[in-house]
């Protein structure tokens, strides 16, 4: 893909319904480009072009990210990537491209499928292989604005997941 294709893909408009449906059934990531990186503008366009080469159906848009924890935080205008119609191989390739770009230090990753109605997610810090706590994520749509939330799983959530696992055995 060349710069022209990048500009076309970057400016594609996706409906909130399409984004929500893709999020519910696909692997997704929410992240920001490290501001201190001198090479971030050129590298960002190359990274996004490489992602669209790996999966032309991938959606890259912006969303606000709200992480509910001891001290909740809201990060505005994060990049929100959905591996729409992607496979496990394209997911692995996209994660590798992001890590190798050197301009993203961490991302919230959302599993492809829901279990017991819960979309699991975790924070991945690139270059650090420590295990992450599995949380739950959600995508809220307010008009044409997107809000991605990350919260701790409740006792009820864990019980639902346990029941679903038992039913599958």
């Amino acid at each position: 893909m060349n710069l022209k294709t990048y500009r076309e893909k970057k400016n594609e408009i996706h409906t909130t319904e399409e984004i929500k449906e893709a999020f519910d059934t696909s692997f997704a990531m929410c992240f920001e480009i490290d501001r201190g990186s001198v090479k971030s503008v050129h590298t960002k366009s190359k990274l996004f072009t490489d992602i669209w080469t790996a999966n032309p159906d991938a959606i890259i848009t912006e969303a606000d990210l709200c992480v509910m924890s001891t001290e909740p935080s809201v990060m505005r205008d994060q990049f929100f990537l959905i591996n729409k119609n992607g496979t496990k191989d394209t997911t692995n390739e996209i994660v590798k491209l992001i890590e190798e770009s050197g301009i993203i230090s961490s991302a919230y990753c959302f599993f492809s499928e829901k279990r017991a109605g819960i979309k699991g997610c975790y924070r991945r810090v690139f270059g650090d292989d420590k295990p992450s706590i599995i949380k739950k994520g959600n995508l809220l749509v307010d008009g044409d604005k997107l809000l991605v939330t990350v919260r701790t799983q409740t006792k009820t959530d864990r019980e639902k997941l346990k029941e679903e696992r038992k039913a599958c055995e």
Side-chain angles (χ1 to χ4, degrees), residues 2-87:
N2 57 27
L3 189 57
K4 179 182 177 214
T5 306
Y6 164 77
R7 286 186 181 134
E8 289 171 5
K9 293 292 287 180
K10 180 180 79 90
N11 293 322
E12 267 184 17
I13 296 175
H14 300 278
T15 65
T16 52
E17 293 81 14
E18 175 189 9
I19 292 168
K20 179 81 170 119
E21 183 179 312
F23 175 76
D24 286 346
T25 59
S26 307
F27 175 83
M29 296 177 82
C30 201
F31 57 87
E32 71 178 341
I33 305 289
D34 294 339
R35 298 185 199 286
S37 177
V38 175
K39 61 180 183 174
S40 64
V41 173
H42 172 70
T43 305
K44 180 188 90 171
S45 60
K46 181 183 179 330
L47 171 62
F48 288 5
T49 300
D50 291 346
I51 289 169
W52 283 314
T53 300
N55 179 2
D57 291 337
I59 296 172
I60 302 174
T61 188
E62 288 186 355
D64 293 337
L65 173 65
C66 180
V67 179
M68 305 300 286
S69 59
T70 309
E71 302 229 358
S73 62
V74 176
M75 294 155 274
R76 299 213 179 273
D77 303 326
Q78 301 288 293
F79 288 103
F80 186 45
L81 179 147
I82 304 171
N83 190 23
K84 181 180 177 187
N85 299 325
T87 63

Side-chain angles (χ1 to χ4, degrees), residues 112-131:
S112 296
E113 55 190 57
K114 289 183 177 184
R115 292 208 169 125
I118 298 166
K119 182 93 168 172
C121 68
Y122 61 95
R123 181 171 181 241
R124 172 145 184 200
V125 178
F126 295 106
D128 185 353
D129 292 335
K130 290 180 187 171

